[in-house]
Amino acid sequence: MSPLSSDTTTDSPIAELPGDALRQRAVDELRSALGDGLIDSLIKPGDDVWVRVALTSWREAGAVLRDKLGMDYFCFLSAIDWMPSPYGRGEDAPDVVIERSTEIKQGYTGGETRFQVFARVASTHLHYGITIKADVPDDDLVVPSWIPNYAGANWHERECHEMFGIGFGGHPNLINMYLPTGFEGHPMRKDFPLLARMVKPWPGIVDVEPLPGDDGPSSENLEADNPDSINNAAGES
Amino acid sequence: MSLDTMLGDRQKLAYIASQAADARLNVELETEGMTLNIGPQHPATHGTLRIICRLDGEQVVWAEPSAGYMHRGYEKLTEVRTFPQVTTLVNRIDWLGSFANEVPFILASEKLMQVEAPPRAQHIRTILFELSRIANVGLFLGDLGVQMGAVTPVFMAFRDREYVLNLIESATGGRFHPNFDRIGGLLNDLPKGWIEETRGVMRKLRNFCTEMEDLLFGNEIFQTRTRGVGIIPKDVALSHGLSGANLRASGVDYDLRRDQVLPMAWDKTEFTVWTHPDGDSFARCWVRLMETRESTLIVDQLLDTMPAGPVMAKVPRIIKVPEGEAWVSTENPLGEMGYYVVSKGDLGPFRVKIRSASFNNISIVPWVLRGVYVPDIITILASLYFILGDIDR
Amino acid sequence: MLAVTIPYWGQTLLRVLGGIVAVLLPAGTIVYLFLFKMMSFMQSRLGPMEAGPYGSMQLFAEVGKWLQKEDIVPGRADKYIFRAAPLIVLVSTFLLVVVVPFGPDAYFTNFEIGVFYMLAVSSISTLGILIAGWSSANKYSLLGGLRAAGQLIAYELPMVLAVVGVVIQAGTMNLQDIVLKQNGGEIFGLDWIGNPYILTQFIGFAVFMIAVQAELTQVPFDMPIAESELVSGYMTEYSGFRFLIFFIAEFATAGIFSLIASALFLGGWGVPFAWFGWDNVGDISNWMNIVGPLIMFSKMMLLSFVIMWVRFTYPRFREDQLQRFAWKVLIPVSLVNIMVTAILKVAF
């Protein structure tokens, strides 16, 4: 039974290091704990730190973050689908065929697969956080669950599962969070179309009813022609 | 209003008993439990939240919230919007304090564009942020009474909230959904006379906080209903990702206004971060009350030190945010709200992960509702304070 | 008395009409004045203003609205009991008003055991509430009904014990005699106040008012209704005319209990006899039969004001806190009150 108020004192020597040194120390700790599991890292000076780990070290990395680096606060866990959307931004007329690049290019700390699962945790004592990513193999979309590390991962993994179709091994109750039971498809994947845009592309292709007194619809970018718009007044660049 | 823990021995024992509720078996009178459905239409839940409880008499044995009745698919919708258009969407996540939703997204985009808003814009942003906090939590204080059965404080809360909404409307044009923040600054400057009027409104709101303190928090029945109810210890709160007043009421001294460096004006003010050692419902309500009063003091300080200057930096007419990823989170009225913006150099974002506070706050409901009585469900939900749009996005 | 002799059926008709007026008039006045207007003013708003001048016709509008709604009986409800439950609650109110004296000759009946009768019939509404909750085939109503059963039975006892103190002091259970004794008596040798039992039975008065608040399931004791949890508790499934009966019964009972409390503690329909030099019942002038009800009405408004004022201000107790309050606080206090009253009565 947990006590009513636990006292936590982390007398870790990391507490004295400022900013970037703190982040570098975190990356070094992870490397020494995970070894080859830590694939890549990126520290943006004065800003933030990203690391990418192998999927086999995903759960262990969470434990290291929680125990050794003092990251007691669980922020969120989700996934990114790096495939560019075949539908663009839903602004094209339905009969026009547009060639779009299908190249999958990942972001910070690279990656090899289409899906990446990522999480963020923070330390309430040292006042910094870390974003951790892992590749999810395309043929076997299963990720070990983070529930043993942070209890809050329960709901985040449920949402990630229903939105991306990524399974979480060891999750006690992987049912849909937002969508009705038996919903087919995984909405956040890029190849799942946004139905509203399929039905009616936006904007400019559709007929815009003219205002009374106007002489015709304008399907141009109205903001570009409006001299009062703040973006026009601020000057060109 | 004391800061000391008032959890007597009886309440500590009650906490232990509630923890053991899972293993409790009623051998003599083996009655079948009753499954009660609270919501989705219910006066107590702030919107369409459904909680399925299995009861044994009046005690909850198992509870599970079922969210998603208001899921609008914001993360998918942001992928088909341009960057300036996202603020219109994002206003509607936490609709009671809606300016505060725009700010982390704008800050993340500005981080990627390496643009900083001018000092006056930062000041005004912070003032509007704190005003939206006051509006949001002011409603909470009134709503707390209604959940308990006291029907009078809520009218005073709405009356005083109107002052704040009028202020926001005169500055931004919208009471509930301002859509005022822009990448690089703000849409407009403040109208004439706004600063004086805000000072007056802040004075009125401090009176309102005192009124709530006397009317509601000093009431013995309220104290009996909330003290020792729904205790959340520190480690459970942190591992679930509870944030905001819920976390501070469990004794964790963590406030994102003070504990990180952002291009906003909080570091130019002095304010107290209120915490409470018990993790019970009374602590959560009390911390919010003190924070509301603190917000009015912050706004006063910011009004006194408002710099002159432009409110918009030089940004291109068509905004294309360079490739990169950024995470910004702020201390919103409901907790920690953050946006993880992934951009590919397009007109719009590639992926936006919206981390909303109430999602984590409500994920603790199955844990905290074990062993409590049915009236306490309402007390605990009221004290955790969620907005449906924040849970469901 | 009156110049004409009214046949027995005429008297009965007058009594019936008088009873209906005596029940509905307090209910209507309390609803309009306190529920609509006073609550609104306390909450810095105006309340109903549209229907009639200053919203005075709002009550008729509400009654009309409820009457024209569809009478819905849930499919799985126990039909006969479901339909009967509101009537049982209303019947107990009408039975209660029968013992209240409104003037020296203006009363419905003159029971020798009026107090006993009053306490007995006030429990009938408990039955109505319980079967309303049970027969509704709705889990919320069931919870409300069960809570009501526990609460109403628990708070019967403090009410009875509080009244026992008055009975001991008056030496009679006849409500008319209690009123006469209060107005004809004297306290500390001052006979211009009379002897309203609130001065000596202040503990009994406080316990009685708290018990009445609980018997009416008003906040802070409104767990059976508990609007933010159980929607409407035992009344959830009722709509239309049946809900109107519950509504009227709630406020009518509030009015009747205030009338009884003013008869027991505040001196009822009378003013201290010393003001007019009366010595016994026969001396009282006839105009007291007309002024008496008015005095009763104003005392009832005063006590209902207190009941409603508490209702709008406080949050509600949880069920177990409520029970603890009744059994561990109110009953011992009222028992002590009885003991002290008995000792003092014998001593003086």
Side-chain angles (χ1 to χ4, degrees):
Chain A
M1 190 209 64
S2 7
L4 281 177
S5 61
S6 52
D7 46 317
T8 53
T9 45
T10 38
D11 289 322
S12 125
I14 299 179
E16 285 89 47
L17 299 176
D20 286 336
L22 195 61
R23 300 185 182 107
Q24 187 58 53
R25 179 71 180 252
V27 172
D28 294 336
E29 278 271 347
L30 269 177
R31 182 160 290 126
S32 65
L34 299 174
D36 280 336
L38 178 69
I39 302 180
D40 201 354
S41 74
L42 171 71
I43 298 183
K44 265 192 150 184
D47 188 12
D48 214 345
V49 53
W50 284 260
V51 294
R52 181 160 69 93
V53 300
L55 195 61
T56 45
S57 322
W58 176 245
R59 190 181 280 177
E60 194 194 335
V64 169
L65 286 172
R66 187 194 59 194
D67 300 326
K68 294 228 183 66
L69 290 174
M71 300 282 193
D72 44 2
Y73 177 77
F74 174 74
C75 203
F76 69 89
L77 184 152
S78 187
I80 307 181
D81 178 356
W82 287 108
M83 182 174 96
S85 169
Y87 308 103
R89 280 215 310 285
E91 292 169 344
D92 316 310
D95 46 352
V96 171
V97 172
I98 294 190
E99 289 296 320
R100 268 185 251 270
S101 147
T102 53
E103 183 204 347
I104 295 183
K105 181 169 174 293
Q106 287 83 2
Y108 290 174
T109 67
E112 280 118 37
T113 57
R114 174 181 163 193
F115 287 104
Q116 276 190 331
V117 67
F118 74 122
R120 185 168 178 93
V121 289
S123 164
T124 53
H125 300 280
L126 305 168
H127 302 157
Y128 78 112
I130 186 169
T131 311
I132 179 170
K133 297 186 183 182
D135 287 341
V136 181
D138 291 320
D139 47 358
D140 182 28
L141 287 175
V142 177
V143 172
S145 164
W146 253 32
I147 294 184
N149 299 328
Y150 296 98
N154 191 325
W155 277 29
H156 290 256
E157 287 174 356
R158 269 172 71 184
E159 192 202 346
C160 191
H161 164 77
E162 72 173 346
M163 291 291 164
F164 288 95
I166 297 177
F168 286 90
H171 194 289
N173 185 26
L174 204 61
I175 58 175
N176 278 359
M177 173 101 252
Y178 289 146
L179 302 170
T181 332
F183 188 90
E184 285 174 13
H186 299 283
M188 279 299 288
R189 292 191 178 183
K190 296 287 183 166
D191 46 1
F192 189 98
L194 187 63
L195 186 63
R197 293 288 168 110
M198 297 296 112
V199 168
K200 199 132 179 123
W202 175 270
I205 316 297
V206 298
D207 296 289
V208 177
E209 288 226 353
L211 287 174
D214 267 5
D215 42 6
S218 165
S219 62
E220 300 301 313
N221 186 352
L222 292 170
E223 205 176 81
D225 300 325
N226 182 1
D228 291 331
S229 159
I230 190 81
N231 286 324
N232 295 332
E236 307 290 293
S237 146
Chain B
M1 229 29 54
S2 82
L3 188 60
D4 311 326
T5 172
M6 282 184 57
L7 289 185
D9 288 321
R10 198 186 77 216
Q11 282 156 330
K12 289 202 181 101
L13 283 173
Y15 174 70
I16 298 174
S18 75
Q19 290 296 296
D22 287 331
R24 206 188 71 232
L25 251 186
N26 194 337
V27 189
E28 291 140 19
L29 206 62
E30 187 68 49
T31 51
E32 213 179 271
M34 179 171 92
T35 307
L36 183 67
N37 220 343
I38 300 187
Q41 296 138 316
H42 190 90
T45 59
H46 304 219
T48 52
L49 179 68
R50 175 182 177 213
I51 301 186
I52 310 160
C53 308
R54 209 167 284 151
L55 302 178
D56 176 16
E58 277 235 359
Q59 249 183 337
V60 173
V61 173
W62 175 92
E64 177 74 30
S66 171
Y69 286 90
M70 213 183 166
H71 179 63
R72 296 159 285 179
Y74 272 4
E75 294 179 5
K76 187 88 179 170
L77 287 177
T78 54
E79 294 171 8
V80 296
R81 298 256 186 301
T82 63
F83 275 93
Q85 287 173 343
V86 172
T87 49
T88 58
L89 264 185
V90 144
N91 261 327
R92 284 145 175 87
I93 296 182
D94 163 18
W95 51 69
L96 287 182
S98 49
F99 184 80
N101 303 324
E102 309 172 19
V103 169
F105 178 78
I106 296 286
L107 290 178
S109 313
E110 287 179 356
K111 204 192 253 196
L112 285 173
M113 282 188 79
Q114 293 176 330
V115 156
E116 210 179 89
R120 186 175 171 89
Q122 291 180 17
H123 250 81
I124 300 177
R125 259 186 202 162
T126 317
I127 294 177
L128 286 172
F129 196 101
E130 292 297 322
L131 281 181
S132 61
R133 184 195 312 277
I134 295 171
N136 194 337
V137 184
L139 185 79
F140 158 80
L141 292 173
D143 180 65
L144 194 57
V146 170
Q147 308 290 350
M148 298 289 120
V151 299
T152 314
V154 69
F155 290 97
M156 293 164 195
F158 270 101
R159 177 196 66 192
D160 288 316
R161 192 163 170 263
E162 286 295 312
Y163 300 134
V164 177
L165 289 179
N166 288 340
L167 276 181
I168 296 181
E169 188 194 13
S170 61
T172 70
R175 274 157 56 102
F176 267 76
H177 301 304
N179 192 13
F180 194 55
D181 224 351
R182 298 285 181 271
I183 296 182
L186 297 167
L187 175 63
N188 271 327
D189 207 337
L190 296 172
K192 184 173 173 185
W194 195 87
I195 295 186
E196 280 315 306
E197 204 181 321
T198 311
R199 285 215 179 95
V201 167
M202 291 298 112
R203 228 174 294 129
K204 280 192 198 146
L205 281 165
R206 276 192 283 276
N207 290 342
F208 165 71
C209 288
T210 321
E211 212 175 20
M212 282 296 123
E213 208 171 4
D214 293 333
L215 188 57
L216 200 54
F217 284 74
N219 190 309
E220 298 79 15
I221 302 181
F222 179 81
Q223 300 229 356
T224 330
R225 284 295 297 273
T226 50
R227 283 219 193 255
V229 167
I231 300 178
I232 302 178
K234 210 187 267 198
D235 46 350
V236 174
L238 284 170
S239 77
H240 279 265
L242 236 56
S243 52
N246 298 332
L247 192 62
R248 285 192 282 280
S250 292
V252 179
D253 188 9
Y254 186 57
D255 187 329
L256 282 163
R257 293 174 288 182
R258 179 197 61 186
D259 294 338
Q260 64 173 348
V261 176
L262 279 179
M264 298 279 277
W266 284 303
D267 44 1
K268 304 189 179 50
T269 59
E270 301 228 333
F271 59 95
T272 326
V273 172
W274 295 95
T275 63
H276 200 285
D278 313 336
D280 58 4
S281 302
F282 181 79
R284 291 188 277 272
C285 304
W286 183 85
V287 167
R288 286 205 180 86
L289 174 72
M290 304 310 278
E291 278 181 2
T292 313
R293 200 181 279 136
E294 205 64 38
S295 286
T296 60
L297 298 171
I298 294 177
V299 171
D300 275 340
Q301 290 179 45
L302 288 170
L303 290 172
D304 289 334
T305 59
M306 176 89 84
V311 289
M312 187 71 176
K314 284 224 186 311
V315 283
R317 184 164 47 91
I318 310 261
I319 294 194
K320 275 193 172 177
V321 173
E323 201 167 328
E325 299 171 22
W327 160 261
V328 171
S329 70
T330 51
E331 185 73 29
N332 274 42
L334 292 172
E336 174 186 346
M337 181 181 216
Y339 293 79
Y340 191 88
V341 179
V342 176
S343 165
K344 290 245 173 197
D346 267 341
L347 288 170
F350 182 77
R351 163 104 167 93
V352 175
K353 162 71 187 165
I354 307 176
R355 193 267 185 200
S356 54
S358 301
F359 188 68
N360 285 37
N361 287 353
I362 295 302
S363 70
I364 206 174
V365 159
W367 187 91
V368 79
L369 280 190
R370 290 172 312 184
V372 304
Y373 293 117
V374 169
D376 289 337
I377 300 178
I378 308 298
T379 312
I380 293 171
L381 284 179
S383 70
L384 280 177
Y385 194 43
F386 52 91
I387 302 274
L388 245 300
D390 215 37
I391 304 180
D392 287 347
R393 279 177 267 126
Chain C
M1 263 301 291
L2 295 175
V4 297
T5 320
I6 306 179
Y8 189 65
W9 63 265
Q11 289 185 14
T12 313
L13 189 62
L14 273 179
R15 286 204 170 97
V16 166
L17 288 173
I20 294 178
V21 167
V23 166
L24 293 182
L25 185 63
T29 323
I30 292 176
V31 166
Y32 173 68
L33 209 52
F34 295 145
L35 184 66
F36 289 157
K37 283 298 181 186
M38 181 181 89
M39 173 161 103
S40 314
F41 281 24
M42 284 170 78
Q43 293 167 350
S44 11
R45 58 189 177 98
L46 285 175
M49 294 291 278
E50 290 293 314
Y54 295 103
S56 44
M57 297 288 121
Q58 180 72 20
L59 190 58
F60 299 103
E62 295 253 335
V63 169
K65 176 192 82 167
W66 284 113
L67 281 177
Q68 52 95 34
K69 283 195 192 234
E70 183 186 346
D71 180 21
I72 304 174
V73 175
R76 290 193 314 184
D78 200 335
K79 289 191 198 31
Y80 298 112
I81 299 184
F82 185 82
R83 292 197 176 113
L87 298 173
I88 296 179
V89 177
L90 194 61
V91 152
S92 86
T93 310
F94 277 103
L95 287 175
L96 265 181
V97 80
V98 156
V99 277
V100 177
F102 287 95
D105 300 304
Y107 48 80
F108 297 104
T109 62
N110 202 359
F111 278 155
E112 277 308 315
I113 49 165
V115 167
F116 182 74
Y117 167 83
M118 178 261 293
L119 292 168
V121 301
S122 69
S123 321
I124 294 181
S125 62
T126 312
L127 191 63
I129 291 174
L130 183 57
I131 66 180
W134 193 271
S135 67
S136 288
N138 179 341
K139 282 175 187 156
Y140 288 124
S141 306
L142 179 63
L143 270 179
L146 293 175
R147 286 176 179 177
Q151 172 183 323
L152 294 174
I153 293 175
Y155 279 87
E156 286 286 333
L157 280 168
M159 192 156 71
V160 168
L161 295 173
V163 173
V164 166
V166 169
V167 168
I168 293 178
Q169 185 162 4
T172 167
M173 281 211 253
N174 187 336
L175 272 165
Q176 182 76 309
D177 287 342
I178 293 179
V179 171
L180 291 171
K181 282 214 166 65
Q182 286 184 71
N183 290 319
E186 59 178 21
I187 186 162
F188 301 134
L190 300 166
D191 60 355
W192 54 268
I193 320 179
N195 188 8
Y197 290 149
I198 187 173
L199 294 176
T200 48
Q201 293 284 322
F202 52 92
I203 299 180
F205 180 68
V207 171
F208 187 77
M209 291 310 286
I210 295 176
V212 159
Q213 193 94 6
E215 282 295 313
L216 297 169
T217 58
Q218 301 278 15
V219 186
F221 303 105
D222 79 334
M223 261 294 132
I225 303 175
E227 197 196 319
S228 58
E229 305 160 31
L230 304 181
V231 189
S232 221
Y234 59 89
M235 291 192 281
T236 313
E237 292 291 341
Y238 285 91
S239 76
F241 183 50
R242 299 183 204 287
F243 181 81
L244 186 63
I245 295 182
F246 272 124
F247 189 70
I248 289 180
E250 181 184 341
F251 290 97
T253 319
I256 304 294
F257 271 120
S258 309
L259 284 170
I260 293 176
S262 55
L264 289 173
F265 292 99
L266 289 182
W269 49 259
V271 291
F273 292 161
W275 294 8
F276 299 104
W278 298 325
D279 282 323
N280 56 35
V281 177
D283 281 353
I284 304 178
S285 328
N286 269 345
W287 53 261
M288 204 55 181
N289 281 317
I290 309 211
V291 176
L294 294 174
I295 297 179
M296 242 342 213
F297 188 75
S298 49
K299 288 182 184 171
M300 176 210 81
M301 295 302 278
L302 182 67
L303 288 178
S304 323
F305 169 74
V306 174
I307 294 179
M308 293 288 142
W309 190 16
V310 170
R311 174 197 170 135
F312 305 137
T313 313
Y314 281 87
R316 70 176 66 95
F317 275 118
R318 209 173 58 201
E319 184 72 11
D320 58 323
Q321 295 162 346
L322 207 153
Q323 299 277 359
R324 198 175 291 136
F325 185 61
W327 292 95
K328 290 194 181 174
V329 174
L330 284 184
I331 292 185
V333 162
S334 44
L335 285 172
V336 165
N337 178 40
I338 294 177
M339 265 193 340
V340 170
T341 311
I343 293 173
L344 290 177
K345 176 82 176 175
V346 168
F348 294 106

